Amino acid sequence: MEKSHPRLPIVERDEWLQPVEQQINERHARYLSRLHAIENSAGSLVNYANGYRYFGWQWDDMLDGWWLREWLPGAYDVYIFGDFNNWQRTEIRMQRDTAGVWSAFFPAAMYRDRLTHGSLYKLHVHGENGWLDRIPAYATRVVQDEETKNYTAQFWSPAELFDWQGDYFEAPQIGNLLIYEAHVGMAQEREGVGTYREFSEKILPIIKKAGYNAVQLMAIAEHPYYGSFGYHVANFFAPSSRFGTPEELKELIRHAHKLGFAVIMDLVHAHYVKNLNEGINELDGSDHHYSRSGAAGDQPYWDSKIFDYGKDEVEHFLLSNIKYWLDEYHFDGFRFDGVTSMIYHHHGYTNFDTREKFFDAGVNEDALTYLTLANRLVHDFRPVAVTIAEDVSGMPGMCIPIKEGGVGFDYRLGMAIPDFWIKLLKDIPDEDWNIWEMWSVLTGRLPEVKTVAYAESHDQALVGDKTLAFRLMDKDMYFKMDRAAESLVIDRGMALHKMIRLMTISTGGQAYLNFMGNEFGHPEWIDFPREGNGWSYAHARRQWSLSENGFLRYSQLGDFDREMIRIITKYRVLADDYPWNLLMDEVNKTIVFSHGDLLFVFNWHPTNSIADYELPVRSAGKYMPILSTDERRFGGQERQTMTTEHFSFDVENEDGLRSPHIRIYNISRTATVFVRI
């Protein structure tokens, strides 16, 4: 008689998944099978992910010299050359083993004075695509020549290793994540490329003052095109040299830890750049090295290549890359970019309108297995690290623990939230906003799926799109943000900007994310240097001085965000999970809900202000306002007194039951937070 297996908890808890139980079981079995194979060969997943300790440059104490190793199974011939041999391409031939790993040994006695810290080098690879000069996949430092603009690998072996002593930061100690998403290169105010050192010295204090507790760094892995925002990666083990040295990045992270920040890396394992000169595409001469052959290896929507996640060596490369950033740079976790593109062969370009579409032939099972192994590795190696999935599909189980049948991410990005705000502002007049739809979108998540809520994404800040501030206030931002100026457009824009952010953070999830500068309504788009703008850096920066200028309203938006973060943190609103809905008043566009002792009242109506507005509260007591979007210090009109005390009184309902209520002045286009004393 066939032995029955116990039902996975993910299916046991969710009847909706029971019709696809077989697919979920098979998904989990594939992961277990691959994990067991890895453990049988390497002892553990953590030991398996040590590619960065074998490939690339490795010092050999026994032989007193350096090894260089690279996996190039399709290559016919491989040479290494550089400034240490006067760039003679075919002088030093590498040797191939049976696994397709090419290696060369450099005795210290012969190369001590030639192969030195900072030496430049490349591989000369002969394959199906001819003879090409290439950069190794495991290069840990890649630099660009200012004159030729060509990229070259650099031998990086400083005399003293970076001292991490005393860096014992652990992410859980900060509580719920308040993430400040940032791009090092465009974080400075001057025109030009910012550095790791500038970010550490100038930007981290700004983030600290703003009250956030985590920094999410974009564009860390080397990418040849600056304007790609870091999403067309060429060199996965090399931190971008345009921002500084590896040691300066490590110092940034150590400084962030001292300030109490977790540092999360925006990790791009969904695809890689097509470039042959800089990247890993066709590195061994074949079109199926790190990707599948032909069109199956292309990401057509992003003009890039996708990984063959089912190939053992590619899996090893990517898992080693994850451990490398945790081990060598002390990152506290990852935001995995492009997860939807990874887990579907159609890359998510479909409507997920039926259950079966999450589990049909369009699913990339190899990618799902890889992501599950990746989460297992992160949490085995650094149990306190966090993983965040950028997945728009809502694939069931993405944020469920692996042992319960899930993929194992800690959080998902609440990507429907910024899309919803755009739709409202773009297509629907204020007086027609549907507060029930708003509540549904903001709170529409499974109880066990932790969500990172955000009101707007970094993509909205790019040329061709609009930030919330720009969509709300448009050209008036350039002429009427003076505190002395009068503008109904600015008044509306500032009011809704604050309300949207407060609504998002208080209802949207268990964590919150903001892209740098958006908190004070940064007025300009992001436009990286390109031919179309004369290679200008004028819009690839952040004008922090606007938020510090007491004569401009940007500072009022920044002040509100700071106070909002302070109150959310003090009263542990994110830890309270779902808000408790108390009232939905469609006529007056008013939503009332609570978190613990905090009462939130949102009046989205453009004109209806109601005196002695009666509303229910969860507990009897005295309620006092502690934050209002209409306060004068935040650019509002302060139509209510912030010292007014609101005492509860009992009201009998139709069933004869009595419950506490209070009366307030319910002000149009205003959100107010009360605390129960």
Side-chain angles (χ1 to χ4, degrees):
M1 184 175 179
E2 186 177 344
K3 183 180 179 181
S4 62
H5 295 280
R7 176 169 274 173
L8 287 168
I10 184 178
V11 179
E12 186 71 36
R13 291 194 301 266
D14 191 346
E15 291 184 0
W16 188 80
L17 292 177
Q18 291 178 12
V20 290
E21 181 174 9
Q22 180 179 344
Q23 291 95 318
I24 291 177
N25 288 341
E26 290 173 353
R27 181 174 81 183
H28 190 63
R30 273 189 293 271
Y31 153 73
L32 289 177
S33 175
R34 184 59 192 144
L35 178 64
H36 292 158
I38 289 171
E39 290 175 337
N40 288 335
S41 66
S44 71
L45 184 58
V46 170
N47 288 338
Y48 174 71
N50 278 337
Y52 64 98
R53 295 180 177 177
Y54 179 77
F55 292 103
W57 291 101
Q58 303 295 335
W59 175 257
D60 190 323
D61 279 326
M62 296 287 292
L63 298 178
D64 193 34
W66 288 94
W67 285 99
L68 178 69
R69 302 185 186 94
E70 189 75 14
W71 174 63
L72 301 163
Y76 307 148
D77 248 334
V78 182
Y79 294 84
I80 177 173
F81 66 108
D83 55 16
F84 52 83
N85 77 332
N86 295 316
W87 299 100
Q88 297 300 306
R89 281 186 172 83
T90 56
E91 179 182 74
I92 306 173
R93 187 176 189 275
M94 300 178 74
Q95 303 299 312
R96 187 188 195 279
D97 68 11
T98 56
V101 176
W102 294 76
S103 63
F105 182 69
F106 294 80
M110 185 182 301
Y111 286 94
R112 193 182 305 277
D113 297 327
R114 288 191 283 166
L115 183 62
T116 59
H117 174 60
S119 290
L120 300 175
Y121 71 98
K122 281 191 172 184
L123 300 181
H124 191 49
V125 182
H126 182 205
E128 290 179 23
N129 55 6
W131 286 93
L132 294 174
D133 297 341
R134 304 300 302 268
I135 294 173
Y138 280 87
T140 58
R141 172 79 169 166
V142 178
V143 294
Q144 185 179 32
D145 185 276
E146 292 186 7
E147 293 184 6
T148 66
K149 302 303 179 184
N150 291 329
Y151 281 86
T152 308
Q154 190 171 33
F155 179 75
W156 200 255
S157 180
E160 295 184 8
L161 295 177
F162 187 83
D163 183 10
W164 283 107
Q165 188 172 357
D167 186 63
Y168 302 119
F169 180 85
E170 293 189 353
Q173 68 192 25
I174 64 176
N176 289 69
L177 292 174
L178 294 161
I179 305 170
Y180 200 87
E181 185 181 31
H183 183 288
V184 170
M186 53 161 288
Q188 80 302 325
E189 183 145 2
R190 64 176 176 83
E191 293 188 25
V193 179
T195 67
Y196 299 125
R197 183 167 291 171
E198 282 179 304
F199 192 92
S200 182
E201 294 175 354
K202 298 179 180 180
I203 309 305
L204 286 180
I206 292 175
I207 303 171
K208 180 70 175 178
K209 183 180 178 182
Y212 292 81
N213 59 22
V215 180
Q216 184 170 294
L217 294 181
M218 305 174 65
I220 292 300
E222 191 62 83
H223 47 290
Y225 179 45
Y226 188 41
S228 76
F229 230 156
Y231 290 117
H232 277 194
V233 174
N235 315 108
F236 285 81
F237 289 84
S240 181
S241 60
R242 56 170 60 88
F243 308 142
T245 68
E247 286 67 39
E248 287 168 342
L249 173 57
K250 292 175 182 179
E251 184 56 48
L252 184 164
I253 294 171
R254 180 165 63 182
H255 188 202
H257 286 167
K258 287 182 179 178
L259 291 174
F261 295 124
V263 186
I264 298 167
M265 179 179 174
D266 203 347
L267 188 74
V268 185
H269 280 185
H271 62 138
Y272 60 92
V273 74
K274 283 184 173 180
N275 302 27
L276 296 184
N277 291 330
E278 297 90 1
I280 62 175
N281 187 23
E282 298 184 16
L283 188 56
D284 71 345
S286 73
D287 73 341
H288 54 274
H289 187 193
Y290 282 93
S291 62
R292 296 171 67 189
S293 182
D298 294 332
Q299 216 300 3
Y301 305 100
W302 297 345
D303 191 31
S304 56
K305 303 292 292 184
I306 54 177
F307 288 101
D308 182 357
Y309 301 102
K311 185 181 288 188
D312 292 355
E313 295 86 352
V314 175
E315 170 199 81
H316 182 243
F317 173 82
L318 293 172
L319 290 174
S320 297
N321 188 239
I322 286 174
K323 186 181 173 186
Y324 169 78
W325 292 113
L326 293 173
D327 188 20
E328 295 291 316
Y329 286 87
H330 286 207
F331 277 100
D332 302 295
F334 304 100
R335 176 251 198 200
F336 281 71
D337 175 70
V339 167
T340 308
S341 175
M342 296 173 71
I343 63 177
Y344 297 102
H345 294 299
H346 50 64
H347 309 299
Y349 287 82
T350 187
N351 290 322
F352 294 94
D353 49 5
T354 66
R355 171 178 44 221
E356 286 66 34
K357 286 190 177 181
F358 293 108
F359 301 96
D360 63 15
V363 176
N364 187 334
E365 303 291 355
D366 292 332
L368 273 174
T369 299
Y370 164 68
L371 287 171
T372 311
L373 289 168
N375 277 292
R376 175 67 182 267
L377 170 64
V378 170
H379 296 112
D380 278 0
F381 181 65
R382 190 69 55 77
V384 295
V386 296
T387 57
I388 304 168
E390 189 213 26
D391 173 35
V392 71
S393 74
M395 165 65 84
M398 193 62 65
C399 294
I400 300 298
I402 296 170
K403 64 182 179 181
E404 297 180 8
V407 181
F409 282 98
D410 295 308
Y411 295 88
R412 71 172 182 93
L413 282 177
M415 300 176 72
I417 298 174
D419 290 345
F420 172 73
W421 292 127
I422 291 173
K423 184 187 77 169
L424 274 189
L425 296 176
K426 184 179 178 182
D427 300 330
I428 304 173
D430 296 14
E431 59 271 18
D432 294 333
W433 284 12
N434 186 329
I435 62 171
W436 287 100
E437 183 185 16
M438 183 185 297
W439 182 261
S440 175
V441 171
L442 269 294
T443 62
R445 57 187 184 275
L446 294 172
E448 56 195 352
V449 177
K450 291 198 291 187
T451 299
V452 179
Y454 59 120
E456 54 187 328
S457 75
H458 57 246
D459 290 332
Q460 290 168 245
L462 290 167
V463 165
D465 207 336
K466 293 181 179 180
T467 62
L468 286 180
F470 197 68
R471 196 172 289 279
L472 284 163
M473 297 177 277
D474 207 69
K475 63 181 182 298
D476 282 29
M477 295 187 73
Y478 296 105
F479 309 108
K480 298 180 180 179
M481 286 297 276
D482 189 307
R483 294 194 185 191
E486 294 184 1
S487 167
L488 293 177
V489 171
I490 296 298
D491 289 345
R492 170 185 177 269
M494 288 190 61
L496 290 178
H497 193 271
K498 290 175 285 187
M499 291 182 72
I500 287 171
R501 306 182 91 74
L502 181 59
M503 185 74 181
T504 300
I505 198 172
S506 58
T507 63
Q510 296 86 351
Y512 178 72
L513 178 143
N514 168 70
F515 179 69
M516 62 177 184
N518 284 352
E519 73 277 11
F520 65 86
H522 198 283
E524 295 190 338
W525 57 86
I526 299 167
D527 191 10
F528 287 96
R530 55 187 173 87
E531 189 175 0
N533 65 13
W535 302 103
S536 170
Y537 287 91
H539 296 287
R541 61 195 181 109
R542 297 282 89 176
Q543 298 187 59
W544 303 105
S545 57
L546 295 175
S547 69
E548 299 161 359
N549 189 322
F551 297 102
L552 298 176
R553 299 192 185 191
Y554 297 106
S555 60
Q556 294 173 329
L557 291 178
D559 289 344
F560 173 80
D561 195 82
R562 188 178 303 112
E563 185 64 10
M564 176 185 79
I565 293 293
R566 188 190 71 80
I567 286 174
I568 293 295
T569 302
K570 177 179 178 180
Y571 292 95
R572 306 191 69 230
V573 170
L574 294 174
D576 193 45
D577 204 354
Y578 285 101
W580 186 283
N581 192 307
L582 293 164
L583 179 68
M584 299 289 282
D585 178 355
E586 178 61 36
V587 173
N588 296 301
K589 304 294 182 188
T590 295
I591 303 175
V592 181
F593 58 89
S594 65
H595 276 291
D597 284 332
L598 295 187
L599 177 72
F600 294 77
V601 180
F602 283 80
N603 182 341
W604 296 95
H605 202 286
T607 58
N608 284 10
S609 295
I610 310 103
D612 292 328
Y613 186 82
E614 187 174 301
L615 56 92
V617 293
R618 287 188 69 190
S619 303
K622 179 176 69 175
Y623 288 79
M624 294 192 64
I626 56 172
L627 177 68
S628 170
T629 57
D630 194 47
E631 289 183 66
R632 189 164 285 109
R633 58 177 173 154
F634 305 136
Q637 302 173 50
E638 200 152 324
R639 289 167 286 174
Q640 65 178 324
T641 303
M642 295 300 291
T643 57
T644 301
E645 300 175 338
H646 304 270
F647 292 91
S648 66
F649 55 92
D650 284 347
V651 174
E652 186 173 308
N653 64 18
E654 296 174 353
D655 298 324
L657 299 175
R658 303 180 68 83
S659 61
H661 286 58
I662 62 171
R663 292 190 181 95
I664 65 167
Y665 182 25
N666 186 17
I667 306 165
S668 63
R669 201 174 275 151
T670 296
T672 306
V673 183
F674 300 84
V675 65
R676 185 178 75 90
I677 307 299

